Amino acid sequence: MSLLGDIDGVGRDGVRGGYSRHVFEPAELDLREWFTEQAARRGLEVETDANGNLWAWWGQPGPDALVTGSHLDSVPGGGAFDGPLGVVSALAAVDLLRARGVAPSKPIAVVVFAEEEGGRFGVPCLGSRLLTGAIDADRARALTDADGTTLAEAAASAGLDPARLGADPAVLGRIGQFVELHVEQGRGLIHQDAPVALGSTVIAHGRWRFSFSGQGNHAGATLLADRRDPMLPAAAVVGAARRVAAAWPDARATVGRLVPKPGGTNVIASSVDLWLDARVPGSGKTPAMVTEIAEAARHAAEQEGCSVTVTEESCSDDVVFDAGLRAEFDNVLGGVPALPTGAGHDAAILAAHVPTAMLYVRNPTGISHAPEEFAEPADVERGAAALADVLENSAI
Ligand code: HGY
Ligand code: MN
Ligand code: MN
Ligand code: MN
């Protein structure tokens, strides 16, 4: 089974458009089915936990399990590797361990976390946050997608009991250690001429919703002086995000989603929602930077006779992966680069609860969250072999 071929076969909806797979929607459900088939072919028992995360078990589910995996959902128009590479490599690592004749002394599980991108309900790492209790279950149940469907309704339609969404200490308690393999998101490894790296840190990041409201009106009949157009302050925030972030060390601020309503060409919008993705290394710095951007938003709204509300949707601090586990794996792999990342991962949520590590596979384009995301077949194979090496080290 060529790893790349397997990735290529999963849910592709045309390279140009990239992948758009959101939790419990048809393209993602297809991939869940694909995963369950792949696990069954390997005799791995698959269970779905109360939060919609999938667990494929080699051995009886039990304490001190070695868990590896990632996610299968994507951002809108995403690449082929972000998420699926970690899942496919975990399955391939099971194949490699069996080919090596390894008889694990501990249970091994391949996990697929739900809604890592937050592409449908807006909160990233939703499945791992629910599992670990990092999000209030009632708040999560009430999260809505673009059509107004709640997570509770979507979970029920996927066969889950919405009342059971939330912290699951019995499932979390089975994890002895977690390692996530992920395609590199950036170009660090190409410069170090290294196919594989170990994760060192994940920088803080959060998401805020800015809701502007003004007065909807006729584009032709309304004089400029008579307008209260929420698009003006919304546009100001896009510029302010870049301007403010430029003054914070190593900060990133992005407005990738902006929704005017009602959205007619000849209609002055009555409201505009935009979402800010903000990331600044250093404890407490991300919300502090967002406060400055929110101030600019309020000022711009006032200028145009509009109002604005700013709501935090998620915010997490810097994460440093377990130094002992990283040193152990570095030793097993014979010395590989340590890679800090600005991209969030389920591993960063798990790291607060169990010894956690990340492996990265070189991405020569450095591009992610876009169809150009790539990993060479030889590097993909090296990544799976490295994952098998670290699992073997822990399993015997
Ligand atoms: O947004 C992120 O950093 C991750 O890809 N979910
Ligand atoms: Mn991603
Ligand atoms: Mn990812
Ligand atoms: Mn008209």
Side-chain angles (χ1 to χ4, degrees):
M1 173 191 76
S2 135
L3 276 173
L4 202 60
D6 246 62
I7 294 175
D8 225 19
V10 293
R12 174 185 285 275
D13 64 1
V15 174
R16 184 174 302 285
Y19 294 78
S20 294
R21 291 188 302 271
H22 306 314
V23 72
F24 304 140
E25 290 185 346
E28 195 252 11
L29 293 171
D30 283 352
L31 224 47
R32 284 171 177 261
E33 208 177 299
W34 166 85
F35 174 74
T36 306
E37 279 159 21
Q38 289 294 330
R41 270 192 221 171
R42 291 164 176 80
L44 307 178
E45 190 76 24
V46 179
E47 63 177 25
T48 305
D49 70 17
N51 294 302
N53 305 307
L54 297 173
W55 301 79
W57 287 94
W58 178 6
Q60 278 307 309
D64 206 19
L66 303 176
V67 179
T68 182
S70 188
H71 60 95
L72 291 175
D73 66 302
S74 74
V75 294
F81 298 82
D82 176 355
L85 180 64
V87 174
V88 171
S89 301
L91 293 169
V94 167
D95 296 344
L96 288 167
L97 291 175
R98 283 176 168 162
R100 295 177 187 175
V102 172
S105 60
K106 300 169 183 168
I108 288 180
V110 176
V111 67
V112 174
F113 286 111
E115 183 74 339
E116 190 275 346
E117 298 292 0
R120 181 173 180 187
F121 292 102
V123 173
C125 302
L126 187 55
S128 52
R129 278 191 156 102
L130 279 164
L131 168 67
T132 58
I135 183 170
D136 173 77
D138 288 335
R139 175 181 169 230
R141 272 185 275 271
L143 291 172
T144 55
D145 67 8
D147 302 330
T149 305
T150 65
L151 172 66
E153 290 162 340
S157 70
L160 298 175
D161 173 359
R164 292 190 56 224
L165 291 169
D168 195 337
V171 169
L172 183 60
R174 297 183 307 196
I175 308 174
Q177 93 183 12
F178 176 57
V179 52
E180 178 171 4
L181 182 145
H182 204 283
V183 66
E184 178 191 14
Q185 295 166 304
R187 282 176 55 84
L189 294 183
I190 204 91
H191 297 311
Q192 300 183 54
D193 190 21
V196 170
L198 278 163
S200 52
T201 60
V202 173
I203 69 168
H205 70 271
R207 297 181 182 188
W208 282 260
R209 176 177 181 156
F210 287 60
S211 299
F212 297 90
S213 64
Q215 179 55 59
N217 214 325
H218 196 297
T222 314
L223 299 179
L224 296 184
D226 299 334
R227 294 181 181 212
R228 293 193 296 113
D229 182 351
M231 281 296 258
L232 272 292
V237 168
V238 177
R242 175 62 70 91
R243 175 172 45 76
V244 169
W248 286 73
D250 203 10
R252 306 107 206 256
T254 311
V255 175
R257 186 177 165 215
L258 184 150
V259 181
K261 287 186 179 141
T265 302
N266 59 348
V267 177
I268 299 170
S270 50
S271 69
V272 178
D273 284 328
L274 66 81
W275 284 264
L276 174 72
D277 179 306
R279 312 192 192 203
V280 192
S283 180
K285 294 200 173 163
T286 299
M289 180 181 79
V290 172
T291 301
E292 270 187 54
I293 297 170
E295 193 40 47
R298 286 192 186 87
H299 179 69
E302 209 176 292
Q303 298 275 74
E304 183 65 19
C306 294
S307 65
V308 61
T309 55
V310 180
T311 315
E312 176 187 300
E313 295 203 332
S314 72
C315 188
S316 53
D317 236 333
D318 290 333
V319 168
V320 179
F321 289 119
D322 186 297
L325 196 58
R326 183 153 69 88
E328 188 185 324
F329 285 3
D330 192 50
N331 186 37
V332 169
L333 300 175
V336 296
L339 202 66
T341 181
H345 299 286
D346 292 304
I349 303 292
L350 271 288
H353 301 272
V354 295
T356 299
M358 281 199 77
L359 278 172
Y360 291 105
V361 171
R362 174 168 51 191
N363 169 355
T365 71
I367 294 173
S368 183
H369 286 186
E372 295 81 1
E373 186 180 78
F374 188 66
E376 295 290 352
D379 286 352
V380 166
E381 306 285 351
R382 285 191 187 102
L387 183 58
D389 292 348
V390 299
L391 287 173
E392 182 174 356
N393 168 67
S394 307
I396 49 178

